[in-house]
Amino acid sequence: MCFPHAGGSAGYFHPVAQALAPKVEVLAAQYPGRQDRYREPCVDSVQELARLGALALRDWDDRPFALFGHSLGAMVAYEVARHFAAAGGDGPVHLFVSGRRSPTCHRAESVHRLSDDALIAEVMALGGTNPQVLADPETRSLVLPALRSDYRAAETYRHGPGAAVRCPVTALTGDADPRTSLEEAAAWQEHAPAGGFELLVFGGDHFFLNGKADDVVAALRERLSTFTTLRRRAPGRDATATAHQLGENDR
């Protein structure tokens, strides 16, 4: 189950789904307030997105599953893993957190309070969005509410008490990411079980995934290979990038 970055959508993970098929089926969260869900109210809380994510997985947790999140999505995936740990029973077999510092490495940021132009400039500086998308006034007006809401969720998140993650944790980071230092990425070890942490460093910035897609997919495939032959029920449809809507349907 993949959780996208701020301003991202489920479609971002289509290449991952194609690369991991047919052994791994990829589900991707479609947060409210964007693309086919642009009429729905945005969710500006990591904890609420995680609660909805855990509910969305209730139809899939009878087979081995892993969680992957990039940037904002890393925090959501982490809190989803904590939901399962608190509930007991089977949880994720692996947690992949990408492009985000440890949840206890706080930085005072307020990008979500910037003007529209300044917010767009910040997003463009990170290089994860096609400039033509934000250059079109109509598209920009549709994207901005979700983008601002996502940044608010990421920047107001605070790590709180709760169950510890029980599965192995792999942190992935770019060696030139301005939003996450190597030390901040390595600090994810504090939130992993003893002996169940590794840090993978790739060449690139915040969106190193775009340039190192093959290497990232290879790392995922290797770490999931132990579980791809295990099923708690009969296999479903062929592996696809299924966009699971997190929102009213899961309340």
Side-chain angles (χ1 to χ4, degrees):
M1 181 80 176
C2 297
F3 297 90
H5 54 278
S9 65
Y12 183 77
F13 295 105
H14 274 294
V16 178
Q18 294 172 347
L20 291 178
K23 290 186 176 181
V24 178
E25 182 166 10
V26 175
L27 308 179
Q30 187 76 297
Y31 304 146
R34 69 215 66 213
Q35 294 195 352
D36 57 318
R37 310 192 68 196
Y38 76 94
R39 296 184 183 276
E40 300 179 39
C42 298
V43 176
D44 60 1
S45 163
V46 167
Q47 286 84 353
E48 179 62 7
L49 287 171
R51 185 185 72 83
L52 296 172
L55 287 174
L57 277 166
R58 62 191 170 188
D59 293 331
W60 302 89
D61 64 358
D62 53 358
R63 66 180 69 186
F65 70 96
L67 304 173
F68 179 98
H70 182 70
S71 196
L72 164 66
M75 310 311 298
V76 177
Y78 168 69
E79 289 293 346
V80 170
R82 295 180 85 196
H83 270 275
F84 279 95
D90 293 323
V93 297
H94 209 110
L95 171 63
F96 298 93
V97 287
S98 170
R100 183 70 186 185
R101 54 192 174 271
S102 159
T104 46
C105 291
H106 175 66
R107 292 189 188 185
E109 297 175 320
S110 56
V111 174
H112 71 279
R113 298 181 182 274
L114 297 176
S115 67
D116 289 351
D117 288 342
L119 177 58
I120 293 297
E122 174 70 18
V123 173
M124 296 298 294
L126 288 178
T129 304
N130 186 335
Q132 295 180 345
V133 172
L134 297 178
D136 178 69
E138 183 175 353
T139 303
R140 174 171 160 157
S141 67
L142 293 175
V143 169
L144 269 170
L147 189 61
R148 189 176 299 278
S149 177
D150 288 354
Y151 266 87
R152 183 181 298 112
E155 294 176 345
T156 59
Y157 170 81
R158 299 293 182 272
H159 188 264
V165 172
R166 298 181 300 176
C167 64
V169 177
T170 297
L172 304 88
T173 192
D175 60 5
D177 187 346
R179 291 283 175 253
T180 303
S181 69
L182 296 182
E183 291 76 16
E184 289 172 324
W188 275 102
Q189 183 171 6
E190 302 171 9
H191 307 283
F197 174 78
E198 63 177 336
L199 174 64
L200 303 180
V201 181
F202 300 85
D205 54 20
H206 188 63
F207 283 98
F208 66 91
L209 294 176
N210 296 342
K212 298 293 183 180
D214 290 344
D215 294 337
V216 171
V217 168
L220 297 180
R221 184 183 295 113
E222 178 183 351
R223 284 149 187 81
L224 295 176
S225 61
T226 303
F227 309 102
T228 53
T229 58
L230 300 177
R231 295 279 184 173
R232 297 182 191 136
R233 68 176 179 188
R237 55 189 176 279
D238 291 339
T240 57
T242 303
H244 196 104
Q245 300 184 350
L246 304 190
E248 293 298 331
N249 293 340
D250 296 307
R251 294 187 188 277

